[in-house]
mmCIF file of all heavy atoms in Angstrom:
data_model
loop_
_atom_site.group_PDB
_atom_site.id
_atom_site.type_symbol
_atom_site.label_atom_id
_atom_site.label_comp_id
_atom_site.label_asym_id
_atom_site.label_seq_id
_atom_site.Cartn_x
_atom_site.Cartn_y
_atom_site.Cartn_z
ATOM 1 N N ARG A 133 11.520 56.719 -9.516
ATOM 2 C CA ARG A 133 11.497 58.044 -8.885
ATOM 3 C C ARG A 133 10.859 57.986 -7.500
ATOM 4 O O ARG A 133 11.409 58.458 -6.516
ATOM 5 C CB ARG A 133 10.698 58.996 -9.772
ATOM 6 C CG ARG A 133 11.499 60.127 -10.357
ATOM 7 C CD ARG A 133 10.595 60.915 -11.286
ATOM 8 N NE ARG A 133 9.689 61.769 -10.502
ATOM 9 C CZ ARG A 133 9.944 63.076 -10.306
ATOM 10 N NH1 ARG A 133 11.011 63.629 -10.811
ATOM 11 N NH2 ARG A 133 9.105 63.813 -9.602
ATOM 12 N N GLU A 134 9.694 57.354 -7.469
ATOM 13 C CA GLU A 134 8.936 57.249 -6.217
ATOM 14 C C GLU A 134 9.753 56.560 -5.132
ATOM 15 O O GLU A 134 9.846 57.039 -3.999
ATOM 16 C CB GLU A 134 7.680 56.431 -6.518
ATOM 17 C CG GLU A 134 6.692 56.342 -5.406
ATOM 18 C CD GLU A 134 5.556 55.426 -5.802
ATOM 19 O OE1 GLU A 134 5.683 54.199 -5.589
ATOM 20 O OE2 GLU A 134 4.551 55.921 -6.328
ATOM 21 N N VAL A 135 10.405 55.448 -5.509
ATOM 22 C CA VAL A 135 11.162 54.676 -4.534
ATOM 23 C C VAL A 135 12.353 55.475 -4.012
ATOM 24 O O VAL A 135 12.642 55.460 -2.813
ATOM 25 C CB VAL A 135 11.617 53.334 -5.138
ATOM 26 C CG1 VAL A 135 12.626 52.646 -4.236
ATOM 27 C CG2 VAL A 135 10.423 52.433 -5.371
ATOM 28 N N LEU A 136 13.022 56.197 -4.927
ATOM 29 C CA LEU A 136 14.188 56.972 -4.497
ATOM 30 C C LEU A 136 13.795 58.061 -3.507
ATOM 31 O O LEU A 136 14.435 58.258 -2.481
ATOM 32 C CB LEU A 136 14.886 57.593 -5.712
ATOM 33 C CG LEU A 136 15.897 56.660 -6.382
ATOM 34 C CD1 LEU A 136 16.530 57.333 -7.586
ATOM 35 C CD2 LEU A 136 16.975 56.248 -5.379
ATOM 36 N N ILE A 137 12.705 58.760 -3.837
ATOM 37 C CA ILE A 137 12.244 59.819 -2.927
ATOM 38 C C ILE A 137 11.885 59.216 -1.569
ATOM 39 O O ILE A 137 12.280 59.710 -0.514
ATOM 40 C CB ILE A 137 11.011 60.547 -3.522
ATOM 41 C CG1 ILE A 137 11.423 61.277 -4.807
ATOM 42 C CG2 ILE A 137 10.417 61.525 -2.515
ATOM 43 C CD1 ILE A 137 10.253 61.867 -5.566
ATOM 44 N N LEU A 138 11.166 58.098 -1.612
ATOM 45 C CA LEU A 138 10.758 57.427 -0.377
ATOM 46 C C LEU A 138 11.988 57.011 0.428
ATOM 47 O O LEU A 138 12.060 57.227 1.643
ATOM 48 C CB LEU A 138 9.921 56.187 -0.728
ATOM 49 C CG LEU A 138 9.303 55.422 0.446
ATOM 50 C CD1 LEU A 138 8.189 56.238 1.066
ATOM 51 C CD2 LEU A 138 8.763 54.081 -0.021
ATOM 52 N N ALA A 139 12.978 56.435 -0.257
ATOM 53 C CA ALA A 139 14.170 55.917 0.429
ATOM 54 C C ALA A 139 14.924 57.037 1.133
ATOM 55 O O ALA A 139 15.237 56.940 2.325
ATOM 56 C CB ALA A 139 15.071 55.213 -0.585
ATOM 57 N N VAL A 140 15.205 58.099 0.385
ATOM 58 C CA VAL A 140 15.968 59.197 0.971
ATOM 59 C C VAL A 140 15.151 59.857 2.088
ATOM 60 O O VAL A 140 15.651 60.125 3.180
ATOM 61 C CB VAL A 140 16.363 60.217 -0.111
ATOM 62 C CG1 VAL A 140 17.024 61.427 0.521
ATOM 63 C CG2 VAL A 140 17.290 59.561 -1.123
ATOM 64 N N GLY A 141 13.875 60.086 1.808
ATOM 65 C CA GLY A 141 13.011 60.739 2.795
ATOM 66 C C GLY A 141 12.951 59.959 4.094
ATOM 67 O O GLY A 141 13.132 60.507 5.183
ATOM 68 N N LEU A 142 12.729 58.635 3.991
ATOM 69 C CA LEU A 142 12.599 57.810 5.194
ATOM 70 C C LEU A 142 13.908 57.766 5.979
ATOM 71 O O LEU A 142 13.910 57.847 7.206
ATOM 72 C CB LEU A 142 12.180 56.387 4.818
ATOM 73 C CG LEU A 142 10.693 56.153 4.586
ATOM 74 C CD1 LEU A 142 10.452 54.745 4.078
ATOM 75 C CD2 LEU A 142 9.907 56.379 5.881
ATOM 76 N N SER A 143 15.039 57.646 5.259
ATOM 77 C CA SER A 143 16.331 57.567 5.954
ATOM 78 C C SER A 143 16.596 58.842 6.740
ATOM 79 O O SER A 143 17.019 58.790 7.892
ATOM 80 C CB SER A 143 17.462 57.342 4.950
ATOM 81 O OG SER A 143 17.337 56.084 4.383
ATOM 82 N N VAL A 144 16.373 59.978 6.081
ATOM 83 C CA VAL A 144 16.625 61.247 6.757
ATOM 84 C C VAL A 144 15.673 61.403 7.940
ATOM 85 O O VAL A 144 16.067 61.806 9.037
ATOM 86 C CB VAL A 144 16.487 62.423 5.765
ATOM 87 C CG1 VAL A 144 16.559 63.751 6.493
ATOM 88 C CG2 VAL A 144 17.576 62.326 4.706
ATOM 89 N N PHE A 145 14.403 61.033 7.720
ATOM 90 C CA PHE A 145 13.410 61.139 8.785
ATOM 91 C C PHE A 145 13.821 60.288 9.986
ATOM 92 O O PHE A 145 13.781 60.740 11.138
ATOM 93 C CB PHE A 145 12.046 60.694 8.254
ATOM 94 C CG PHE A 145 10.966 60.629 9.292
ATOM 95 C CD1 PHE A 145 10.332 61.786 9.719
ATOM 96 C CD2 PHE A 145 10.578 59.411 9.845
ATOM 97 C CE1 PHE A 145 9.333 61.731 10.682
ATOM 98 C CE2 PHE A 145 9.587 59.351 10.810
ATOM 99 C CZ PHE A 145 8.965 60.507 11.225
ATOM 100 N N CYS A 146 14.231 59.049 9.724
ATOM 101 C CA CYS A 146 14.625 58.156 10.814
ATOM 102 C C CYS A 146 15.857 58.684 11.532
ATOM 103 O O CYS A 146 15.959 58.594 12.756
ATOM 104 C CB CYS A 146 14.903 56.753 10.287
ATOM 105 S SG CYS A 146 13.402 55.888 9.839
#
Side-chain angles (χ1 to χ4, degrees):
Chain A
R133 245 176 77 99
E134 187 184 87
V135 169
L136 274 179
I137 295 172
L138 185 70
V140 174
L142 277 174
S143 293
V144 172
F145 174 79
C146 287

